[in-house]
Amino acid sequence: MTRTSTLTRWVPRLIMGLACLHTLFGLFVLPASLDPNPLAGIVADGFVNAIGGNVDREVTFWFLATGIMLFIVGHLTHWVIRQTGRIPALVGWWTLGFAVPSLVLLPGSPFWLVLALGILALVAARRDDRAAVALATTS
């Protein structure tokens, strides 16, 4: 494994941290704020086809699904960094591609955090590219 920058190591951790917050919100805060509790209703209905048509259940499901997918992206990014010593710029571009349309639709939402993560990922990727070029030219 090659030596990686502090920012490069922190980007996947921040993505996974945001994923955990998103999932915890979807598990505890959101269901507690809705009446009746959508998670309890899903469990009571036996999970199979227990969401369709109920907006509260749909919102809760998408909160949880998005949190899980963010965690997968963060974990995969961490794995790639451990394998290559660099963060792919695509992580930043994909994250921005998710954040920008989301912010257009919901400007008052916390998608600003996702936007910040995308920018951080692009900065880290650019630094990694510059370090790789500098290493190659000094060898």
Side-chain angles (χ1 to χ4, degrees):
M1 182 178 107
T2 60
R3 184 164 161 74
T4 58
S5 74
T6 302
L7 182 58
T8 297
R9 287 191 310 270
W10 270 98
V11 167
R13 294 173 186 170
L14 291 170
I15 293 170
M16 289 187 284
L18 180 61
C20 289
L21 289 174
H22 207 273
T23 303
L24 289 172
F25 187 88
L27 281 173
F28 299 108
V29 178
L30 186 61
S33 68
L34 300 172
D35 190 30
N37 182 326
L39 290 177
I42 291 169
V43 171
D45 287 349
F47 292 98
V48 177
N49 200 25
I51 293 175
N54 184 311
V55 175
D56 291 345
R57 291 181 185 188
E58 290 172 354
V59 168
T60 303
F61 168 77
W62 283 111
F63 239 94
L64 295 172
T66 303
I68 292 166
M69 289 308 299
L70 277 170
F71 192 85
I72 291 168
V73 169
H75 190 265
L76 180 60
T77 302
H78 175 75
W79 180 83
V80 169
I81 291 168
R82 289 186 49 87
Q83 297 300 311
T84 67
R86 300 168 64 185
I87 187 169
L90 276 176
V91 172
W93 290 117
W94 288 335
T95 306
L96 288 177
F98 180 56
V100 171
S102 300
L103 283 168
V104 168
L105 294 169
L106 295 165
S109 72
F111 276 107
W112 293 102
L113 295 171
V114 180
L115 181 74
L117 285 174
I119 292 168
L120 283 175
L122 287 173
V123 169
R126 185 171 177 99
R127 286 183 183 174
D128 290 348
D129 289 345
R130 284 184 178 170
V133 170
L135 182 63
T137 57
T138 59
S139 299

